[in-house]
Amino acid sequence: MKVFLVVPPSTGILSIPSSPHLGTAYLAGALRENRHNVKILDMRFGTAYSVLRSKLQKFKPDIVGITTTSMDHKKAYKAIRLMKQDGFRIMIGGPHASIDPEKIMEEVPADFAIKGEGEKVIIDLIDHIDTPQKVDGVTYRTKKGEIKKNKDAKPILDLDTIHFPAFDLFPLKRYMDKKIPLATSRGCPYQCTYCTIHFTMGYKFRVRTPKNVVDEIEHWYKKGYRYFSINDDCFSLNIKRAEEICDMIVARKLKLKFDLRNGIRINTITETLLRKMKRAGLTYVAFGVESADQVVLDKMKKGITAAQARTAILLADKVGVKKGAFFIIGMPGGTMKSFKKTLKFALSLPLDEVRFYNPIPFVGTELYTWVKENAKLLKPESYFMNKADYWDPEPIFETKDFNRKQRKEAFLMAEQHVMKYLMRKEFGRILGSLGWLAWRPRITRRIVFPIGKSIWSMVRRLRAS
């Protein structure tokens, strides 16, 4: 069968995506392994919808698959409506479709919605395209227009059975970084109230064997790739396995570099693991700290302490690995006082990068329910589920203990440090400091920021080449 996979447009600080879409690449790999003819269009390069329609009319697929995130989902909806006008059969998947597939099907004229992991479900669906009621994990539209939801599909327990992602179907030379994204595990047993990962990957932690992971790395290494990014939510949950992956990279003499920008669990870090990761090529690791206030950490069910965060970051510094930390402003229990405590905590650590974000209460999360019951939304759901930006100083909600004015003030206060660290990290201490001084006055920021983005993009492309 001919299958056309679409990555819809998205909003981001960079003008082009940094790397190919991992989830879509996995689907393409599974489809190709099962002898289906697959093509991919990544619209994140600013691709016009007219280009999408033109490519579809030329390829004439039997079915089109499109991924969705809650952020920017209306762009995916627009693509679906256009494709339906041309008579294509459409399946929708990804994190947004996994939250409430029946609601998604009511909002947009897709024929099928896939919930959760899609590699096995998509093959089963294509094999039973006219009898979708037989396929677990699928919500479908009947010939009468009724929406029917099947039971959820079981999680894939043996991840080694999944074919490697088909990154070769993407225009690899066009991406910002010459970097291959990796997923060495799936699922997260933790209960963070703001997180959406369990909608697609569940709570059960599942892993690929070290050999399977390093085999994939070596496959791309032989093709000339030396930069990899591990996108796991819990790479170090099984410390022994993580160490074995590093040892195997070293044993195979693969001279590469990799990062963990998605974050790594603070309470699973050891000095031995960090040293092994550095020896294997680790260049950067991010830590999801979120707050230095234990009341806030406990309310978000983070499962860590600020003391553990400090220990992990100091260990990374001791080992000599560049590191960053993420923080969230104004989570439940948060106040201006707790924010200042967190900012002071962040600035006291030997970090190479800090990030402070306003929280986004994604539909389906515990945070979303809490905001609905205990806070005041400052923006309509239709806005913050499509146009909200982590770099936007305007908060999405406020509480009586931390109002809009205070939240914005906190963000702008933190932003000064975020940009200072970022510019020094990307351009060096001297040029970065000069760039930051030019960025600080709002009167020059509108000029400096676009120029800085262009230079940043150019520098990243040069580093990747």
Side-chain angles (χ1 to χ4, degrees), residues 326-340:
F326 304 140
F327 301 91
I328 306 177
I329 300 169
M331 288 290 283
T335 63
M336 178 59 86
K337 182 178 180 181
S338 66
F339 160 74
K340 289 182 177 179

Side-chain angles (χ1 to χ4, degrees), residues 161-260:
T161 62
I162 304 174
H163 198 269
F164 290 163
F167 292 125
D168 56 290
L169 294 179
F170 288 81
L172 292 177
K173 292 183 179 180
R174 292 187 64 190
Y175 291 94
M176 183 68 67
D177 303 320
K178 189 179 179 182
K179 175 173 67 174
I180 297 296
L182 301 170
T184 81
S185 66
R186 290 182 177 182
C188 178
Y190 296 97
Q191 311 285 321
C192 301
T193 61
Y194 54 88
C195 189
T196 61
I197 191 62
H198 62 273
F199 292 132
T200 49
M201 297 303 172
Y203 290 106
K204 185 176 180 62
F205 181 64
R206 296 155 290 138
V207 302
R208 296 168 61 188
T209 60
K211 181 181 183 303
N212 184 260
V213 172
V214 182
D215 281 350
E216 183 186 0
I217 292 173
E218 189 167 18
H219 169 80
W220 289 103
Y221 189 89
K222 289 177 179 178
K223 292 181 180 292
Y225 286 84
R226 299 293 185 269
Y227 184 15
F228 299 84
S229 183
I230 295 178
N231 292 351
D232 294 24
D233 289 281
C234 299
F235 174 72
S236 56
L237 189 62
N238 183 329
I239 294 177
K240 181 180 178 182
R241 185 195 74 109
E243 290 180 352
E244 287 177 359
I245 290 172
C246 297
D247 290 341
M248 197 170 290
I249 290 172
V250 173
R252 294 194 191 183
K253 299 181 180 180
L254 303 178
K255 306 298 182 182
L256 54 85
K257 60 180 181 178
F258 72 94
D259 58 44
L260 289 108

Side-chain angles (χ1 to χ4, degrees), residues 341-402:
K341 178 180 180 180
T342 299
L343 181 61
K344 182 179 180 181
F345 175 80
L347 298 180
S348 73
L349 295 168
L351 293 166
D352 299 284
E353 190 173 6
V354 294
R355 295 288 176 89
F356 279 80
Y357 302 114
N358 277 322
I360 299 177
F362 288 108
V363 173
T365 62
E366 192 173 329
L367 175 62
Y368 176 84
T369 302
W370 185 90
V371 169
K372 285 282 191 177
E373 295 175 353
N374 301 279
K376 177 185 176 182
L377 281 172
L378 301 172
K379 297 181 179 181
E381 187 177 306
S382 60
Y383 175 87
F384 71 76
M385 292 299 285
N386 281 282
K387 296 182 180 180
D389 187 336
Y390 289 115
W391 298 80
D392 187 351
E394 287 292 340
I396 291 169
F397 64 90
E398 66 176 349
T399 62
K400 63 179 182 179
D401 296 322
F402 204 177

